[in-house]
């Protein structure tokens, strides 16, 4: 045996001896080794599909040790109920990670902050201007106007009906305008608007750095953290410039308008409400910026991914497009689809649900965490474990769904009749695209009608087809820490429907 190996022998023996048999009260999982835990076995890409495969070996709740951190994975509806609802307080926190600490200013935001007073206050302050039926009614005409502009743009260019376009870009402008009009009462002029280019660039860099698996090693293994310093500095620099951008170009503008109007000022957009709460001393100026940051990622990106998925599936399923068209014609008899008549269109709604089921945009939900040691499924979950619910697997497990890999909206009118996309109330725990309970998505109230409307407008104006020479659109997926988007942004032909 070479000398170099002999000198390593004590270390190897130590590692082998200490390969730990986990205490029986912990959830099952692969054997772990010191320092690295299971990280060397499972690697970085802890995708919903990989975790679903592991659940077939280790069961509906299992535990991975990732360096110094514990990851508990839940893959069963009843246990999901425990984590999100029945023990929602115990599992209602969010785990920290070195990169999210930077992007959230150590939890000054709402999405990633621990469960407690700050979260409660932020959620309350955000609810009034963003998450009520009144807001939906106040803004739905504006949403439809923005969607109408998309339809006009798509009709204008011959290229769009001959070769097709990457539809994401135009929908991105539409969604930014919808959210920025709600937030700041302002909009971007076009895809070439320098502010739009800057906003999308800041947000996509933020998503790339936060969702990457590249930094896991330094997050899991504190000893390796010094090697991450360049990456973390990049995140800090981006976050500083990004928050300054939101502040200088948008928040400050509203402050100036509020100051100029003085007593007479009428709250006219969401950020006015938020600034009002700040001026009353409820939150800090930085919290205001973190609310803007949260909306930029939580609202815009997720809804955009969902639209891209739905459009790609509709292109690949022309009969679903014609069924939606028939439903609109039969039910609305020539009247336009509006937010107020969406509920009369069950097939359209089933299509939205089916797309969110097959391509769950946040397949593992936003990770949860238990601050204190907790019990789950008869096992002990150590305090401060990251707990993920594999929502994609709950909605795609062939044990619970008929042919789950098929895009078939009819399932929600037939065997799955009664299963709805909800974040509270009567919940089917196999279907949780927005989570459920305390940390569920409050944006569901906006996302569902926006998705329904945009699909209805596009399908009633165009036949959406794959570009010439292609039969189907590629629906391969690409995942991040907890996002799931289409790997290749689809090029779609929009062929106007003759009246
Ligand atoms: C189709 C679009 C969307 C999907 C699929 C989606 C999904 C989700 C999911 C899965 C969660 C985490 C639930 C959990 O941890 O248990 C979440 C949280 C959140 N979402 Fe959404 N979301 C969407 C759109 C929106 C929109 C439009 C907004 C805002 C306007 C929004 C704001 C939020 C916020 C603030 C949270 C954090 C809630 C908390 O931690 O208390 N989302 N979303």
């Amino acid at each position: 045996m070479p000398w170099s190996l002999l000198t390593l022998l004590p270390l190897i023996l130590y590692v082998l001896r200490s390969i730990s048999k986990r205490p029986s009260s912990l959830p099952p999982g692969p054997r772990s080794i010191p320092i690295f835990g299971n990280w060397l076995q499972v690697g970085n890409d802890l995708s919903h599909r990989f975790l679903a495969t592991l659940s077939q070996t280790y069961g509906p709740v299992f535990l991975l040790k990732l360096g110094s951190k514990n990851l508990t994975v839940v893959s069963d509806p009843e246990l999901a109920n425990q984590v999100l609802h029945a023990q929602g307080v115990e599992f209602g926190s969010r785990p920290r990670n070195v990169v999210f600490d930077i992007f959230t200013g150590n939890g000054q935001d709402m999405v990633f902050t621990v469960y407690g007073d700050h979260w409660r206050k932020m959620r309350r302050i955000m609810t009034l201007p963003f998450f009520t039926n009144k807001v939906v009614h106040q803004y739905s005409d504006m949403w439809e106007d923005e969607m109408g502009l998309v339809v006009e743009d798509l009709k204008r260019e011959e290229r769009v009906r001959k070769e097709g376009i990457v539809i994401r870009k135009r929908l991105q402008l539409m969604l930014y305008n919808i959210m920025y009009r709600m937030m700041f009462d302002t909009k971007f002029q076009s895809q070439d608007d320098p502010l739009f280019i800057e906003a999308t660039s800041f947000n996509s860099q933020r998503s790339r750095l936060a969702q990457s698996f590249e930094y896991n090693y330094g997050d899991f293994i504190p000893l390796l953290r010094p090697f991450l310093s360049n990456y973390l500095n990049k995140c800090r620099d981006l976050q500083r410039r990004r928050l300054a951008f939101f502040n200088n170009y948008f928040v400050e503008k509203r402050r100036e308008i509020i100051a100029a109007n003085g007593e007479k000022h009428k709250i006219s957009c969401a950020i006015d409400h938020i600034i009002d709460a700040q001026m009353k001393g409820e939150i800090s100026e930085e919290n205001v910026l973190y609310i803007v940051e949260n909306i930029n990622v939580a609202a815009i990106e997720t809804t955009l991914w969902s639209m891209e998925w739905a459009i790609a599936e509709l292109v690949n399923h022309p009969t679903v497009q014609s069924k939606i068209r028939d439903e609109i014609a039969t039910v609305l008899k020539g009247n336009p689809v509006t937010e107020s008549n969406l509920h009369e269109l069950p097939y359209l709604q089933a299509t939205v649900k089916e797309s969110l089921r097959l391509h769950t945009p946040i397949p593992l939900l936003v990770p949860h965490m238990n601050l204190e040691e907790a019990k789950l499924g008869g096992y002990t979950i150590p305090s401060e474990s990251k707990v993920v619910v594999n929502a994609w697997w709950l909605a795609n497990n062939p044990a619970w769904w008929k042919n789950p890999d098929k895009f078939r909206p009819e399932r929600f009118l037939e065997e799955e009749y009664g299963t709805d996309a909800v974040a509270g109330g009567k919940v089917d725990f196999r279907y949780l695209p927005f989570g459920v309970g305390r940390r569920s998505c409050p944006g569901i109230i906006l996302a569902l009608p926006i998705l329904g409307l945009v699909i209805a407008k596009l399908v009633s104006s165009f036949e959406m087809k794959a570009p010439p020479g292609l039969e189907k659109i590629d629906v391969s997926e690409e995942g991040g820490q907890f996002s799931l988007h289409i790997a290749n942004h689809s090029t779609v032909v929009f062929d106007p429907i003759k009246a």
Side-chain angles (χ1 to χ4, degrees), residues 368-476:
H368 286 240
M369 191 257 271
N370 51 315
L371 278 168
E372 310 289 338
E373 185 177 286
K375 290 277 176 213
L376 186 63
Y379 298 109
T380 301
I381 310 298
S383 62
E384 303 201 7
S385 295
K386 174 168 162 178
V387 181
V388 298
V389 173
N390 195 341
W392 171 82
W393 184 232
L394 297 181
N396 284 271
N397 183 338
W400 302 318
W401 299 80
K402 194 167 132 192
N403 298 326
D405 53 344
K406 297 267 173 307
F407 179 77
R408 187 171 66 87
E410 288 76 5
R411 74 177 74 244
F412 285 104
L413 305 175
E414 296 169 8
E415 76 273 16
E416 303 298 348
Y417 179 82
T419 291
D420 259 318
V422 287
K426 192 173 161 284
V427 181
D428 177 342
F429 281 88
R430 296 170 310 146
Y431 185 63
L432 306 169
F434 296 92
V436 71
R438 289 169 180 73
R439 298 309 290 256
S440 65
C441 178
I444 185 175
I445 195 167
L446 312 178
L448 284 179
I450 289 176
L451 285 173
L453 278 172
V454 88
I455 291 173
K457 302 263 176 216
L458 291 176
V459 169
S460 28
S461 309
F462 305 98
E463 251 180 74
M464 300 193 284
K465 301 178 192 162
L470 280 184
E471 255 186 31
K472 296 240 172 212
I473 278 185
D474 177 13
V475 286
S476 318

Side-chain angles (χ1 to χ4, degrees), residues 345-359:
L345 304 168
Y347 191 77
L348 173 68
Q349 293 189 21
T351 307
V352 172
K353 286 195 246 177
E354 178 67 344
S355 185
L356 292 170
R357 182 195 67 78
L358 189 56
H359 304 291

Side-chain angles (χ1 to χ4, degrees), residues 84-102:
L84 304 173
H85 172 64
Q87 298 192 67
V89 173
E90 290 83 342
F91 290 103
S93 257
R94 301 284 193 208
R96 311 267 306 245
N97 107 14
V98 283
V99 166
F100 278 90
D101 275 358
I102 294 171

Side-chain angles (χ1 to χ4, degrees), residues 63-179:
L63 186 125
L64 297 176
K65 285 203 80 70
L66 299 169
S68 60
K69 303 200 166 178
N70 291 311
L71 170 68
T72 302
V73 182
V74 170
S75 318
D76 167 88
E78 179 41 38
L79 293 173
N81 180 352
Q82 287 296 318
V83 170
L84 304 173
H85 172 64
Q87 298 192 67
V89 173
E90 290 83 342
F91 290 103
S93 257
R94 301 284 193 208
R96 311 267 306 245
N97 107 14
V98 283
V99 166
F100 278 90
D101 275 358
I102 294 171
F103 287 122
T104 65
N106 293 320
Q108 294 193 57
D109 68 330
M110 193 267 245
V111 181
F112 297 99
T113 198
V114 292
Y115 184 71
D117 288 344
H118 175 69
W119 169 78
R120 250 186 299 277
K121 196 165 53 179
M122 293 286 269
R123 192 146 171 150
R124 175 176 53 73
I125 290 170
M126 285 176 79
T127 296
L128 189 68
F130 285 112
F131 308 127
T132 63
N133 280 320
K134 196 169 160 221
V135 173
V136 173
H137 295 141
Q138 182 185 346
Y139 285 110
S140 57
D141 286 354
M142 176 274 275
W143 302 345
E144 286 174 38
D145 291 346
E146 291 295 336
M147 291 170 193
L149 294 176
V150 175
V151 170
E152 275 174 34
D153 281 358
L154 294 177
K155 281 187 175 163
R156 195 170 305 124
E157 282 188 62
E158 193 173 306
R159 180 175 65 96
V160 176
R161 79 184 78 112
K162 295 251 160 81
E163 300 150 37
I165 55 155
V166 179
I167 185 60
R168 172 189 168 86
K169 293 191 181 158
R170 185 59 188 87
L171 293 177
Q172 189 181 35
L173 176 65
M174 179 198 80
L175 267 180
Y176 269 79
N177 279 343
I178 286 178
M179 291 317 303

